[in-house]
């Protein structure tokens, strides 16, 4: 099991791409051979993994110190088939999947601080 934010992101990004492929194959069976059950099953599986990908992006962007535009690109890459793998490789080449050592608070740390100050 992954132990880092980047590891979790990679795992979910690759799973999202595989679920896309499974859904596309199921759609070929449904519309080509008239077998709709595959889309029912793979649609549900893909929807679950798609949601996990979006949640994972929202969780890891802060510890990985992604800029907002990188987060938006990660989220948009969940829509086209296999684009999440492209994004993972792109981010890895640019060093965006390494956790920088910084004493500056993360985005979620700032949100937590702001919520405490409101009370």
């Amino acid at each position: 099991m992954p132990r880092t934010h980047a590891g979790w992101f990679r795992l979910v990004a690759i799973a999202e791409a595989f679920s896309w492929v499974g859904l596309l194959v199921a759609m070929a069976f449904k519309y080509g051979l008239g077998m709709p059950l595959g889309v029912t099953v793979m649609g549900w599986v893909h929807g679950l993994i798609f949601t996990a990908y979006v949640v994972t992006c929202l969780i890891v962007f802060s510890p990985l110190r992604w800029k907002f535009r990188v987060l938006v690109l990660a989220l948009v890459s969940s829509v086209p088939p296999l684009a999440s793998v492209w994004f993972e490789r792109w981010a890895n080449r640019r060093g965006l999947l390494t956790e920088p050592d910084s004493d500056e608070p993360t985005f979620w740390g700032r949100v937590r601080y702001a919520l405490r100050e409101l009370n």
Side-chain angles (χ1 to χ4, degrees), residues 2-114:
R3 296 182 183 199
T4 63
H5 292 99
W8 277 107
F9 177 77
R10 283 185 179 113
L11 176 71
V12 176
I14 291 169
E16 199 270 340
F18 274 108
S19 73
W20 248 121
V21 170
L23 183 59
L24 292 173
V25 168
M27 289 172 63
F29 273 88
K30 177 179 180 177
Y31 296 111
L33 302 173
M35 301 169 66
L37 181 62
V39 172
T40 304
V41 173
M42 280 310 298
W44 186 85
V45 169
H46 175 67
L48 183 68
I49 296 175
F50 171 82
T51 304
Y53 179 81
V54 170
V55 169
T56 301
C57 287
L58 293 173
I59 290 172
V60 303
F61 94 95
S62 181
L64 295 177
R65 311 272 182 190
W66 289 351
K67 294 182 179 177
F68 183 72
R69 66 177 180 237
V70 175
L71 172 63
V72 169
L73 185 60
L75 294 173
V76 168
S77 74
S78 66
V79 177
L82 306 176
S84 61
V85 171
W86 169 84
F87 175 80
E88 184 272 329
R89 291 182 180 193
W90 176 84
N92 193 33
R93 280 194 308 267
R94 283 166 179 68
L96 297 172
L97 295 181
T98 58
E99 295 185 38
D101 295 330
S102 176
D103 292 336
E104 183 181 334
T106 63
F107 172 80
W108 294 117
R110 289 186 193 128
V111 168
R112 191 176 323 122
Y113 175 77

Side-chain angles (χ1 to χ4, degrees), residues 111-119:
V111 168
R112 191 176 323 122
Y113 175 77
L115 291 174
R116 280 190 201 143
E117 289 299 312
L118 288 174
N119 285 333

